Amino acid sequence: MKEPEEAYCLGIESTADDFGVGISTFQGEILANISDAYIPEEGGIHPREAARHHAEVADKVLSEALTKANINPKTLRVISFAQGPGLGPCLRTGATVARALASYLDVPLVGVNHSVAHIEIGKLKTCTRDPVALYVSGGNTLVAAFECGRYRIFGETLDIALGNCLDVFAREAGLRHRQGLPLGAALEQLATKGEKLVSLPYTVKGMDLSLSGLLTAAVTLLQKGKHKVEDLCYSLQENAFSMVAEVTERALAHTEKKELLLTGGVAANKRLQTMLKSIAEEHNARFNVVPHEFATDNGAMIAWTGVLSYTHGLVTPVEESFVKLRWRVDKVDVPWLK
Ligand code: ATP
Ligand code: FE2
């Protein structure tokens, strides 16, 4: 058992399809990071089904994390949870577990912003200090950086997220989750066999981008059956990633920051990494990809951001711990950066 005088935070992530529990020391050592994913039989995530999954696995994931960290729950100093943004039923399940645990242990509760947590764990794990962060996942696509006391959004999708765009196309193309391989990764494999660039919509509006027109056009061409599916996967990736890269490049140029941080589940994509690396190089910025375990949704990021929040005076009274489905990063207090 670890020494009881060491301070720990346990963080709960439940914004979408994963129920995750992480345990972090106050110095940022991650002692445990356990997740259990809800994988739908068919189609996308059904929020209530996912929430039911989270409630079913919560005690198992919690006890696995405590065992992995090898600490007595009584030594936990604070409980944090992802308060938003995310799917209502999923968020509420995680919040309920967090409230119960904090009340049982009689320790403070801290509500954490999921997107800020992605950036903070990314910084911790890549030793990055002040990056432009590109967060691309199934539910989010945004470029953010710290400026004037907050994380500001320098570009985002106006409609669907990048991962969602890839997943919907992959499902239309008949790809399925196999051996835990995400749909985006299956699409990436097919895309490497594509040879012909098919013309598809490219929509960047100011600092923002739109992916729904691209998805509709790609699906329509797929259904017409005149192109090889590999070529369509390749072309979809090239177009979508170029849009994301253009918006990211503008943020780098505007902020003149010298670090670029790529995170979220889509960060695993090698083609996206290559495009962003070359953009970072053009701007003399160091390029960092968050390690996969900490780039996808995980409890460790909530635990670590819980530590940052708590040690800078932020706690969330139970009566204010309602979930925030659309909590934007530019509305979050980040006193540890001031
Ligand atoms: P969030 O709640 O932050 O939106 P999420 O629930 O979508 O996250 P993540 O694990 O962060 O969960 O991201 C999953 C997304 O990442 C899926 O859309 C998946 O297809 C995509 N993805 C995973 N690996 C790859 C890859 N190699 N290439 C492209 N996309 C990928
Ligand atoms: Fe996420």
Side-chain angles (χ1 to χ4, degrees), residues 19-331:
F19 184 85
V21 173
I23 299 176
S24 172
T25 68
F26 275 31
Q27 283 70 43
E29 187 189 348
I30 304 301
L31 304 179
N33 190 29
I34 309 287
S35 270
D36 193 304
Y38 154 78
I39 299 179
E41 301 271 313
E42 281 282 305
I45 305 174
H46 189 299
R48 257 181 244 109
E49 288 300 316
R52 195 208 315 241
H53 160 270
H54 297 349
E56 278 168 12
V57 302
D59 64 337
K60 180 193 76 153
V61 178
L62 270 173
S63 56
E64 267 181 47
L66 287 164
T67 306
K68 179 82 202 306
N70 193 23
I71 58 164
N72 184 327
K74 297 218 166 69
T75 61
L76 290 169
R77 182 83 62 85
V78 53
I79 303 294
S80 58
F81 69 104
Q83 197 171 0
L87 306 172
C90 301
L91 284 167
R92 275 180 218 110
T93 305
T96 304
V97 176
R99 281 184 211 112
L101 207 54
S103 141
Y104 175 71
L105 296 169
D106 196 20
V107 295
L109 186 65
V110 178
V112 162
N113 179 283
H114 176 90
S115 310
V116 167
H118 268 293
I119 301 173
E120 291 302 339
I121 196 80
K123 284 161 62 183
L124 179 77
K125 287 291 164 189
T126 60
C127 299
T128 303
R129 287 188 56 243
D130 183 24
V132 165
L134 171 61
Y135 163 34
V136 274
S137 64
N140 292 278
T141 297
L142 59 89
V143 182
F146 183 73
E147 202 172 82
C148 301
R150 296 229 156 165
Y151 281 114
R152 307 283 166 186
I153 297 177
F154 286 92
E156 62 188 319
T157 178
L158 295 169
D159 39 55
I160 56 173
L162 180 58
N164 185 233
C165 173
L166 300 176
D167 290 353
V168 171
F169 183 83
R171 254 184 244 113
E172 288 287 335
L175 303 178
R176 295 283 173 265
H177 286 278
R178 261 183 232 109
Q179 291 146 0
L181 192 69
L183 288 174
L187 187 144
E188 178 181 19
Q189 283 181 359
L190 272 189
T192 58
K193 301 191 187 109
E195 288 162 344
K196 189 174 152 233
L197 193 60
V198 180
S199 171
L200 289 168
Y202 181 101
T203 320
V204 171
K205 295 182 184 170
M207 298 293 273
D208 298 324
L209 61 131
S210 158
L211 292 162
S212 63
L214 167 65
L215 173 62
T216 307
V219 169
T220 306
L221 287 180
L222 179 74
Q223 288 165 347
K224 285 191 179 149
K226 289 190 186 141
H227 295 279
K228 279 168 60 186
V229 64
E230 291 84 353
D231 289 341
L232 287 175
C233 291
Y234 166 64
S235 308
L236 178 69
Q237 278 200 176
E238 290 302 300
N239 260 47
F241 295 171
S242 302
M243 287 186 219
V244 169
E246 180 182 335
V247 169
T248 308
E249 178 164 26
R250 288 199 193 163
L252 271 178
H254 174 81
T255 60
E256 298 183 354
K257 292 199 190 274
K258 292 297 160 218
E259 295 165 320
L260 175 58
L261 185 72
L262 174 61
T263 193
V266 189
N269 190 290
K270 293 280 180 283
R271 178 65 185 137
L272 179 63
Q273 291 179 10
T274 306
M275 277 193 195
L276 291 165
K277 185 162 184 282
S278 73
I279 278 168
E281 279 167 4
E282 277 170 32
H283 289 265
N284 296 321
R286 188 164 71 93
F287 178 59
N288 299 275
V289 184
V290 179
H292 190 65
E293 177 188 357
F294 298 102
T296 60
D297 288 350
N298 66 90
M301 69 184 192
I302 305 300
W304 172 234
T305 312
V307 170
L308 292 172
S309 306
Y310 177 70
T311 54
H312 290 81
L314 296 180
V315 291
T316 308
V318 171
E319 59 277 15
E320 289 171 24
S321 65
F322 48 82
V323 299
K324 305 177 187 180
L325 275 54
R326 281 181 249 291
W327 192 15
R328 289 168 64 82
V329 292
D330 48 8
K331 297 279 182 285

